[in-house]
Amino acid sequence: MRLIHRVWQIANAVYLRITLNWVTLSFFALSFLYFSAQGLLQSFMYSADDAWGALTSDIVAHAQINWTVFAQYTGRHGTYSLELCNHGDPDPCVHFFTEGQSEPVTIPSRFLPSFDQRDASLQSSALWILGNSSPSQDLRISSQPRPDGSSDVVISSTVNNMSMTIDPVCSYTLLYPHAKLSQARREDQSLIAYQFWLFGLAVFALVFESIPHTLALVIARVTITGWSTYSLWRSMNIDDRLHHIIQDVDTPCHLDLFSGYFDKRIKLQIADLALHCTALFISIFLSWRLYLMYRTHTFSRVGPPKNVLRMYRYFLAVLVSIQLSLFVLVTALALWVDQLLHGPIRKFSSRTPVYGATFILTAVMLIPWLTMGWFSVRREWRKMTWAFLGTSCFFIFTWTMMFYSPVYRFTFIDWPFFGCVTVTAFVSLIFSTVFMFICRHNYGKGLAQWLYIEDAFGEDEFVADLIPTQVTETPHASKSLTLTLTLSHLDPFKDVEGMA
């Protein structure tokens, strides 16, 4: 019963923190609203990416293309061209197609599957979303091998007995949108998780009156708004590329497969960007009000001297950097491992066990690293601080050395989202390490003592949120509450009487 009473009391204290005034209530309500709306939009985008990704996956699979073969876009300055690559060869990439070329498009023989690799009986039923956004149809997809080792893909309708044939050259061209749609699905999953993280930061900021979480939330909003802007431009850019290498008359395919997809996705991205922009401006305003309120409340309890206030800013910088590092590090690790297991590099990565061991070691050390950073800088525990700094340097060194890997460099350059997350993780790591060194230099100068006293006041107030309050009218606010709290030993399980 004591445990239930304690949980109920904490829940009520959390409720009081969230509904303390119009700023906290608006901050929570708008955070939840944007979390729900943007999570829903990201889910719609994932649904579109998954539908058209399944289309290209079916075609590529039935074309019997080797798993080590992939297409790379090489167009520059108004030209649109593709290369076929196979990292198992000494010369991995060769020219495949350029818009407007007079020579017929052919598949180099070394990119064709050998006869013992083909499966002539390969066929399946698929739910295909047509490019013009017409209703989905039940289709049967099958392979028809050619003598040269390539395969035609035959798509026939089970409804009206109509069929179409996609030749091998078109199937190899579709390797490029197939890779981009696969990356888009991973991005959607990461951004859905990002919405949960943003909402978690907002809740922690309110419940614990945490300035670091509040500042981290604003920086995270700035980052995601910037990425959303770039992502919209990139979608329009890829739409333009596919129009010139797949849809136009002189292309190997001459098929309108993706216009419906981009119409849908770009509309969703515009709505998503609009939400991100409004969320950013509202978040900046409300976070600033929260920062002023929490800062005033903190310093009014125990006012720090000027030298402690200066050290307190570095202390906040450490905690903000750690909060930002947590999500981006986990995301970068997850995306890299996903590419090793499911991406085009999985067949020609010769050091996958080493990369896997690096991932496992980093993942195991991540939570202890976060814990060491949070507590060591607050308590000025020197040994734990050096352990945190050593772990940070290990992370930076290890993931810097990853750039010596050709497959890591290829993934970093070819996938902008992975590159953005990786750079953000590095910047957060470097900032947390540098600011922790500065804080370590200031140990023993009064910050830990001031934080200890401030925490004591804060914990008493958190437990005492259900302690009798005295309601007073102030000259400037007709309905303000003045909480009269005693800092004696409080018994949270004592009956509460005289609640206002």
Side-chain angles (χ1 to χ4, degrees):
M1 291 301 295
R2 290 177 63 88
L3 177 61
I4 296 175
H5 191 187
R6 176 67 172 173
V7 170
W8 175 252
Q9 192 174 46
I10 291 176
N12 276 273
V14 169
Y15 171 78
L16 290 176
R17 284 284 173 92
I18 292 174
T19 59
L20 180 64
N21 54 39
W22 71 269
V23 177
T24 57
L25 185 58
S26 300
F27 187 82
F28 177 80
L30 290 171
S31 296
F32 180 77
L33 177 64
Y34 281 110
F35 159 73
S36 303
Q38 292 178 299
L40 192 62
L41 281 176
Q42 290 293 338
S43 299
F44 287 150
M45 282 188 269
Y46 175 79
S47 177
D49 293 336
D50 190 57
W52 268 269
L55 161 64
T56 58
S57 296
D58 280 338
I59 295 175
V60 168
H62 287 81
Q64 313 267 358
I65 300 174
N66 289 333
W67 286 102
T68 56
V69 177
F70 61 96
Q72 190 169 7
Y73 181 79
T74 56
R76 297 291 187 277
H77 307 297
T79 62
Y80 300 85
S81 58
L82 288 178
E83 285 184 341
L84 287 182
C85 300
N86 188 340
H87 276 269
D89 299 328
D91 185 16
C93 297
V94 297
H95 173 265
F96 178 58
F97 165 73
T98 298
E99 182 192 28
Q101 70 179 45
S102 57
E103 301 84 2
V105 182
T106 59
I107 304 170
S109 58
R110 62 190 177 95
F111 290 96
L112 295 172
S114 59
F115 283 89
D116 58 349
Q117 292 177 311
R118 299 187 309 177
D119 184 2
S121 64
L122 184 63
Q123 60 179 1
S124 67
S125 297
L127 193 64
W128 187 22
I129 308 296
L130 297 182
N132 59 4
S133 298
S134 62
S136 59
Q137 302 177 19
D138 287 316
L139 303 172
R140 183 171 296 278
I141 304 177
S142 60
S143 299
Q144 288 187 351
R146 292 186 174 188
D148 63 354
S150 61
S151 298
D152 291 318
V153 177
V154 180
I155 305 175
S156 57
S157 173
T158 59
V159 178
N160 53 22
N161 295 323
M162 295 181 65
S163 65
M164 64 178 294
T165 300
I166 297 179
D167 63 32
V169 174
C170 179
S171 297
Y172 276 76
T173 306
L174 290 174
L175 284 172
Y176 176 70
H178 169 64
K180 294 306 171 186
L181 287 167
S182 177
Q183 292 175 355
R185 282 180 283 188
R186 302 299 182 266
E187 292 175 23
D188 295 332
Q189 292 168 342
S190 300
L191 293 175
I192 290 172
Y194 196 87
Q195 295 303 321
F196 282 92
W197 180 61
L198 288 177
F199 184 64
L201 285 178
V203 172
F204 269 83
L206 290 174
V207 171
F208 296 101
E209 295 185 348
S210 173
I211 294 177
H213 285 86
T214 305
L215 298 178
L217 177 65
V218 173
I219 297 174
R221 289 266 182 214
V222 172
T223 304
I224 192 61
T225 303
W227 170 256
S228 183
T229 304
Y230 168 78
S231 181
L232 176 60
W233 171 86
R234 189 186 60 161
S235 292
M236 293 186 290
N237 180 257
I238 294 177
D239 181 22
D240 179 63
R241 293 180 183 182
L242 296 186
H243 182 84
H244 287 275
I245 63 179
I246 292 177
Q247 184 175 340
D248 282 353
V249 177
D250 58 347
T251 62
C253 291
H254 185 36
L255 291 175
D256 183 13
L257 295 178
F258 298 103
S259 61
Y261 163 74
F262 283 106
D263 286 343
K264 181 177 181 179
R265 181 171 178 84
I266 289 174
K267 289 177 182 177
L268 290 172
Q269 285 186 283
I270 291 173
D272 185 60
L273 177 58
L275 285 177
H276 278 303
C277 290
T278 56
L280 174 61
F281 290 119
I282 293 174
S283 179
I284 290 175
F285 171 72
L286 292 177
S287 296
W288 178 248
R289 295 298 299 264
L290 283 178
Y291 171 77
L292 293 178
M293 184 174 67
Y294 292 158
R295 186 175 183 271
T296 302
H297 188 48
T298 298
F299 293 164
S300 65
R301 291 190 294 230
V302 184
K306 290 184 178 180
N307 66 315
V308 172
L309 183 60
R310 183 178 62 255
M311 291 185 289
Y312 180 72
R313 295 191 182 101
Y314 293 123
F315 163 78
L316 288 181
V318 171
L319 298 187
V320 170
S321 300
I322 291 175
Q323 292 300 320
L324 293 174
S325 298
L326 178 62
F327 181 84
V328 291
L329 271 175
V330 171
T331 303
L333 289 172
L335 293 175
W336 171 235
V337 170
D338 177 77
Q339 287 298 294
L340 287 176
L341 298 179
H342 305 107
I345 65 174
R346 69 188 184 279
K347 292 294 184 179
F348 51 83
S349 174
S350 59
R351 296 185 177 90
T352 298
V354 177
Y355 303 146
T358 304
F359 163 76
I360 294 173
L361 184 60
T362 305
V364 169
M365 296 172 65
L366 194 57
I367 297 302
W369 171 80
L370 175 69
T371 306
M372 287 189 296
W374 190 271
F375 285 100
S376 63
V377 74
R378 294 186 70 90
R379 303 291 188 263
E380 294 188 354
W381 292 340
R382 289 171 171 77
K383 292 183 179 179
M384 187 176 288
T385 300
W386 286 118
F388 171 84
L389 291 172
T391 306
S392 299
C393 293
F394 169 79
F395 286 161
I396 295 172
F397 173 78
T398 301
W399 291 98
T400 301
M401 294 299 294
M402 291 295 294
F403 283 97
Y404 282 94
S405 166
V407 294
Y408 191 85
R409 292 198 304 271
F410 169 78
T411 305
F412 182 86
I413 295 172
D414 183 66
W415 191 0
F417 183 76
F418 177 77
C420 179
V421 171
T422 302
V423 170
T424 306
F426 267 98
V427 171
S428 301
L429 272 175
I430 292 172
F431 275 142
S432 62
T433 305
V434 170
F435 285 121
M436 181 63 87
F437 267 115
I438 296 175
C439 288
R440 170 62 186 85
H441 178 72
N442 291 320
Y443 280 4
K445 297 181 180 180
L447 178 62
Q449 291 79 2
W450 178 78
L451 288 174
Y452 176 80
I453 297 173
E454 192 274 331
D455 283 345
F457 277 78
E459 289 175 4
D460 281 337
E461 290 185 6
F462 183 78
V463 175
D465 272 331
L466 296 180
I467 297 297
T469 59
Q470 177 182 346
V471 182
T472 62
E473 298 284 341
T474 66
H476 303 290
S478 59
K479 294 184 178 180
S480 63
L481 288 179
T482 301
L483 300 182
T484 305
L485 303 174
T486 61
L487 297 180
S488 58
H489 297 286
L490 299 171
D491 183 0
F493 303 108
K494 192 175 294 183
D495 291 337
V496 178
E497 300 177 355
M499 289 293 292

